[in-house]
Amino acid sequence: MLSSVGCIRATNTSLYSICRRQLYSSSKPHLTPKHLTQYFTKHNIVSMATKPVRFYKNLSVDQKARVVGYWLLGCCGLVATTVSVGGVTRLTESGLSMTDWKFAGRRAPRTAEEWEVEFDKYKASPQWKYQVVHSGMTLNEFKFIWYMEWGHRHLGRVIGSCVVFPTLALLTRPWVSNKFKLRLAGFSSLVVFQGFLGWYMVKSGLEDHPESTDIPRVSQYRLASHLGSAFLLYLTMFKTAMEILLPVEHSLSPALQNLRKWSGGVAGLAFITALSGAFVAGLDAGLVYNSYPKFADSWIPSDLIVFSPYWKNFFENTTTVQFDHRILGHSLLVAICAVWVMSRPLVLPKRAGVAVNALMGMGWMQVGLGVSTLLLHVPTWLAATHQQGSLILLTLSTWLYHELGKKKIKMFKR
């Protein structure tokens, strides 16, 4: 009944006041469903409430398709926001502040006693016992890192709701093709997988390893998997939205087809470089050699290969991880410049021309952000900007690949 009264409030404030007094005053009779029914009928409220639904049903298939495309773009925006918040959460070492996980989430503590209970849970974690206890932390400082992790988790749940529920509705629509339904089901599955993978990652930092001499942190392997799957979700939804909203109608010459292959290579290299950055963040490898272009006084650091077996250096040796990330970053910039130079003599479609120029500019900006982050000893705001720059770079390279592509699968039955 209260929700019904909320509808009345939007239409007639004075009547809402009367209804509220009748509901909460013991000296007056309560508002009955009959009164509400009469009011709804008189003012046609039911018709107004269902108007958006009826409007959507009256749209053509092409118009509905564009609604789906904009929905996917909105979900991409949510994923990008969550990735950004997640980066700050990692850089501020907030990810281990919540020591439990519930599928539906939970409210934040409200009283001083509840905050003390939460703080005590954190004090029992390895991060507190082996790291924070030596530097100290006040309750207010704990609240900041707790809210960072809490906000990041709830953003993930918002994404889940915004992807899964509309997907369930679209799966029942006859105008959606079976191939597109499979793609939508893949998006939802990846979102759910992301939630469990996030907790699996956090759990690795809550395991006590007394024999270890390293500071407690989440597994860099799980961190890279978590970030990589988020990027994969973002890119697949973005590519699908582009296919709906900006379909490719032109045919490609052999030269443009070759450029398309190169742009696909750039997108793949950008993805690998971003994953390499996750290993840098997971191991705090950005704090090892804060000089550029050399590693201290050497072009090749002396501790580049020290672990056995050999392959572990690429994932667990902080020097090797930073070295690899530098090499990948420079290689990506060279590849972007090559694509830009190759595109100069060609007559590109208008949007493809915008995309290749934007990619060129963002490539140089991203390298500048990376070098600045290194030289300034990884300030949080700059490192977070550098991470977000990698997502922008991936977006632009994917957009260029799309603009140089061919017509895709038939998503809607017209």
Side-chain angles (χ1 to χ4, degrees):
M1 186 180 292
L2 289 178
S3 60
S4 301
V5 174
C7 296
I8 296 175
R9 183 178 189 179
T11 309
N12 192 317
T13 305
S14 60
L15 181 60
Y16 169 79
S17 303
I18 297 172
C19 295
R20 185 178 177 85
R21 286 197 300 270
Q22 289 180 338
L23 279 170
Y24 295 105
S25 174
S26 58
S27 59
K28 295 183 178 181
H30 288 291
L31 188 66
T32 65
K34 182 179 179 181
H35 295 149
L36 294 177
T37 302
Q38 292 174 346
Y39 184 82
F40 286 173
T41 303
K42 180 180 178 181
H43 294 275
N44 203 25
I45 288 179
V46 175
S47 177
M48 290 189 294
T50 58
K51 189 175 181 179
V53 177
R54 289 186 285 109
F55 172 76
Y56 182 76
K57 287 183 177 180
N58 291 331
L59 294 178
S60 67
V61 173
D62 287 338
Q63 291 171 324
K64 290 177 181 179
R66 294 193 68 81
V67 172
V68 173
Y70 286 122
W71 161 65
L72 288 173
L73 277 185
C75 291
C76 288
L78 283 174
V79 174
T81 301
T82 306
V83 167
S84 180
V85 173
V88 177
T89 301
R90 172 66 190 93
L91 291 164
T92 56
E93 299 184 345
S94 306
L96 300 177
S97 57
M98 293 182 69
T99 58
D100 58 359
W101 185 81
K102 295 181 179 179
F103 181 79
R106 59 187 176 90
R107 65 172 179 81
R110 296 176 181 174
T111 64
E113 292 76 15
E114 290 177 342
W115 275 113
E116 287 296 340
V117 170
E118 203 66 38
F119 199 15
D120 289 339
K121 291 180 183 178
Y122 178 61
K123 289 179 180 179
S125 69
Q127 188 178 53
W128 173 272
K129 291 189 291 183
Y130 299 113
Q131 181 183 4
V132 181
V133 68
H134 302 294
S135 58
M137 176 182 285
T138 65
L139 180 59
N140 285 333
E141 290 172 334
F142 169 71
K143 287 181 180 181
F144 171 78
I145 65 171
W146 193 93
Y147 272 123
M148 284 297 304
E149 175 64 9
W150 183 78
H152 180 58
R153 294 188 187 188
H154 277 281
L155 274 173
R157 293 183 177 95
V158 170
I159 294 173
S161 300
C162 291
V163 173
V164 173
F165 293 122
T167 294
L168 293 176
L170 288 171
L171 291 178
T172 64
R173 297 299 183 264
W175 48 270
V176 179
S177 71
N178 291 331
K179 289 184 178 180
F180 188 51
K181 287 179 180 180
L182 286 175
R183 194 179 293 194
L184 291 173
F187 296 155
S188 295
S189 300
L190 194 52
V191 167
V192 175
F193 173 73
Q194 260 293 88
F196 289 106
L197 185 57
W199 170 243
Y200 180 63
M201 176 192 70
V202 170
K203 190 177 179 181
S204 66
L206 299 174
E207 297 170 352
D208 200 348
H209 300 286
E211 71 283 357
S212 176
T213 58
D214 200 2
I215 63 173
R217 56 164 65 95
V218 299
S219 165
Q220 68 272 24
Y221 297 100
R222 301 183 191 183
L223 175 63
S225 300
H226 188 49
L227 181 65
S229 59
F231 278 4
L232 183 62
L233 174 65
Y234 171 88
L235 292 174
T236 51
M237 288 197 300
F238 176 77
K239 182 68 165 58
T240 302
M242 290 295 99
E243 291 173 15
I244 297 172
L245 299 174
L246 298 176
V248 176
E249 303 293 346
H250 52 76
S251 58
L252 297 180
S253 65
L256 287 179
Q257 291 176 5
N258 184 52
L259 185 64
R260 181 174 186 265
K261 293 178 182 177
W262 274 82
S263 65
V266 166
L269 185 56
F271 187 80
I272 294 172
T273 306
L275 288 185
S276 170
F279 280 92
V280 173
L283 292 171
D284 291 327
L287 299 172
V288 180
Y289 286 96
N290 297 104
S291 57
Y292 183 86
K294 292 185 176 181
F295 293 80
D297 296 325
S298 303
W299 288 104
I300 306 295
S302 58
D303 55 343
L304 188 63
I305 303 296
V306 294
F307 290 173
S308 182
Y310 179 85
W311 63 267
K312 278 193 172 184
N313 289 279
F314 295 96
F315 305 104
E316 299 180 14
N317 184 343
T318 53
T319 299
T320 312
V321 167
Q322 188 192 119
F323 182 85
D324 290 345
H325 191 58
R326 290 197 195 191
I327 296 299
L328 286 169
H330 288 98
S331 300
L332 177 59
L333 181 61
V334 170
I336 290 173
C337 291
V339 168
W340 186 83
V341 170
M342 290 171 62
S343 70
R344 290 305 87 195
L346 303 178
V347 179
L348 297 177
K350 184 177 180 180
R351 294 196 303 258
V354 174
V356 74
N357 288 327
L359 180 64
M360 181 66 167
M362 190 62 214
W364 282 98
M365 185 181 298
Q366 179 69 350
V367 170
L369 286 170
V371 173
S372 301
T373 301
L374 186 70
L375 296 178
L376 296 176
H377 297 263
V378 196
T380 299
W381 68 271
L382 192 55
T385 305
H386 182 52
Q387 177 187 279
Q388 204 63 13
S390 67
L391 190 58
I392 296 174
L393 203 60
L394 276 166
T395 302
L396 292 173
S397 58
T398 303
W399 180 32
L400 176 61
Y401 183 75
H402 163 73
E403 293 299 340
L404 296 174
K406 304 174 182 178
K407 291 185 178 181
K408 302 302 177 183
I409 64 171
K410 186 177 180 181
M411 299 187 189
F412 306 100
K413 301 175 183 178
R414 292 173 171 83

